[in-house]
Amino acid sequence: MRLGDLTGSRRYARVIASLFVTLSLVGCGGFGLLPHETTVNNTRFASYADVATAYNTIQPGVTPVSDLSTIGFDSVTTTNVEVLSYLGVIERFMPRDSIRFDKLDPRVQGCIQARDRCTAFVFRPQRLEQEHQGNVLMDLLGFERTVVNRGWSAEVTLLVENGRVAYKVMSGRPNIEDSHQVIQPLGPIQDLGGTAVRTATRVF
């Protein structure tokens, strides 16, 4: 081997070694190198408490549909709103006949009986932040990956009959904190093995 080639190889080896040491020293997400993702649906609400406050201002039998946009539940401009016909309302409140019609809230019964005059809007405001934690190098190479989800989510269902809110119900998760850890001792090689098995299964 020529002296120049040997010197170049050593230089590249030092660069790679320096990169390895740097990433190792960065460790637990230093310098913001680990991925971070935020998912927001309906930016009108900054928190779960804001959703609950807006929800509490809605009065069944009183609040007109025209006021919903001001309150924060705009079925036209809000993204990912689910619109249900009276048939959808039946499926939602009586899934697979798990509850008898006469056991439903009278306002839900009335909305279903109104048929085409009954509509339901399902709003799902949320804010979720997905953050990778741990060692940058281990995460990058796929040996160990820890993902933490934090935030909140809500689901608000409003039944509308003859231009007014006839019924309302709200559920959700005010304080989400989920942690998911994946450890692969073989790192990227383990992913290749899984890909090979799936490919062979499709072929044979």
Side-chain angles (χ1 to χ4, degrees), residues 43-157:
T43 55
R44 174 69 179 270
F45 302 111
S47 66
Y48 187 91
D50 287 347
V51 180
T53 299
Y55 172 82
N56 290 333
T57 63
I58 300 174
Q59 301 180 49
V62 177
T63 302
V65 176
S66 57
D67 285 357
L68 292 179
S69 59
T70 303
I71 296 172
F73 299 104
D74 192 334
S75 62
V76 177
T77 62
T78 302
T79 58
N80 302 317
V81 177
E82 185 178 1
V83 182
L84 304 177
S85 67
Y86 79 95
L87 293 176
V89 174
I90 292 175
E91 292 177 359
R92 188 172 186 83
F93 288 89
M94 302 172 60
R96 299 180 181 179
D97 297 325
S98 60
I99 184 173
R100 288 166 43 188
F101 179 80
D102 59 0
K103 296 299 182 180
L104 295 174
D105 186 286
R107 291 167 295 184
V108 177
Q109 294 181 29
C111 194
I112 293 175
Q113 290 173 332
R115 292 180 173 266
D116 293 338
R117 299 192 308 276
C118 172
T119 304
F121 300 111
V122 183
F123 298 85
R124 296 184 177 90
Q126 66 171 347
R127 182 180 181 87
L128 295 175
E129 295 186 0
Q130 185 182 82
E131 179 182 2
H132 286 234
Q133 295 184 350
N135 186 280
V136 176
L137 186 61
M138 299 294 280
D139 187 288
L140 181 64
L141 297 180
F143 287 99
E144 182 176 342
R145 183 167 296 154
T146 301
V147 179
V148 178
N149 295 312
R150 293 188 180 92
W152 57 269
S153 66
E155 181 175 283
V156 175
T157 302

Side-chain angles (χ1 to χ4, degrees), residues 139-198:
D139 187 288
L140 181 64
L141 297 180
F143 287 99
E144 182 176 342
R145 183 167 296 154
T146 301
V147 179
V148 178
N149 295 312
R150 293 188 180 92
W152 57 269
S153 66
E155 181 175 283
V156 175
T157 302
L158 304 176
L159 269 61
V160 175
E161 181 183 352
N162 296 325
R164 294 187 180 277
V165 177
Y167 180 80
K168 67 175 186 176
V169 62
M170 174 177 170
S171 60
R173 301 176 64 187
N175 186 22
I176 297 174
E177 184 166 347
D178 297 327
S179 180
H180 180 63
Q181 185 179 48
V182 177
I183 298 177
Q184 297 186 138
L186 300 180
I189 298 178
Q190 199 154 339
D191 288 335
L192 292 176
T195 302
V197 170
R198 289 191 295 271

